[in-house]
Amino acid sequence: KLGNLPPKQPAFKPLPFTPAPDQEHSISKDKFFLDSKTDEEIELEDDLHLYDNRFLQEYNKKRLAEMRKSIQVARFGSVVLISSSDFVREVSQIGSDVWIVVLLYTNGYAECSVLMKCLEELVVKYPGTKFVKIVSTDCLLNYPDYNLPTLLVYNNGAVIANFVGLRRFRQRSTSEGVALTLCQSDHVLNSGHDGIDKLRDFVIERLWRSLIKKVVRNMKTMMVDHQV
């Protein structure tokens, strides 16, 4: 009354309520919709609905297959130490879809350490290939140290190739050099992906490019050090 208070807020009024459509009205509307369609149109819509369901089923199957394959690939990715009792299960009984590289080594042998480092780099790039290591005398009794390191390549329970001594890799005692030697006759290395990666020529070309880049990088480093 005296004008020293702000005006009051207007009273709250809810929005008008609109009742849901009557079920009978909805049924009659659907009936009208169906009556307006011919038998051919109704059959076509049913076929499209069935096609959508089949498409979703096929898509789900494909995704599950990809997930299973990625899980299988994820099993590898490191050079696994095995013993003589593990050899049959880890190597001989593996199917033809997996290539296995077995390193025979002994502790304290410098050339074995060089090859081991190369395999540790390769196993990260090619987790679809299984890499294992075993002490040479655990695998072959009285195996001479002058044959170390030795690489055995297995597939479907059989020895496909063997590389005795680091000299088999000549001056290419790098991960790329070892990879090129392994891929001479078969597609041993597998990154775990389908498609062109399974072609041996593609893998070899990629390895050569990587090797050339590494040589050029090392030469640049040597030139900089020489200038300093």
Side-chain angles (χ1 to χ4, degrees), residues 47-143:
D47 291 342
L48 291 175
H49 181 67
L50 181 61
Y51 175 79
D52 290 340
N53 289 337
R54 289 178 178 175
F55 174 79
L56 290 175
Q57 290 175 1
E58 292 297 327
Y59 177 77
N60 290 333
K61 288 180 181 179
K62 184 177 180 181
R63 288 293 300 147
L64 287 174
E66 292 175 351
M67 291 173 65
R68 290 192 187 100
K69 186 170 184 178
S70 64
I71 292 173
Q72 179 181 5
V73 170
R75 291 184 309 170
F76 312 125
S78 62
V79 183
V80 180
L81 175 63
I82 64 174
S83 62
S84 56
S85 59
D86 302 326
F87 197 90
V88 173
R89 182 182 70 255
E90 297 290 341
V91 178
S92 301
Q93 293 182 346
I94 302 299
S96 60
D97 58 327
V98 177
W99 287 82
I100 309 169
V101 178
V102 182
L103 170 64
L104 306 185
Y105 78 105
T106 188
N107 291 317
Y109 204 67
E111 293 189 348
C112 291
S113 299
V114 172
L115 190 54
M116 175 72 71
K117 183 178 179 181
C118 295
L119 297 185
E120 289 174 347
E121 293 180 10
L122 289 179
V123 75
V124 176
K125 299 178 181 178
Y126 301 97
T129 299
K130 186 173 184 179
F131 290 82
V132 299
K133 61 181 179 180
I134 182 172
V135 176
S136 58
T137 52
D138 287 348
C139 183
L140 300 171
L141 187 63
N142 298 324
Y143 192 73

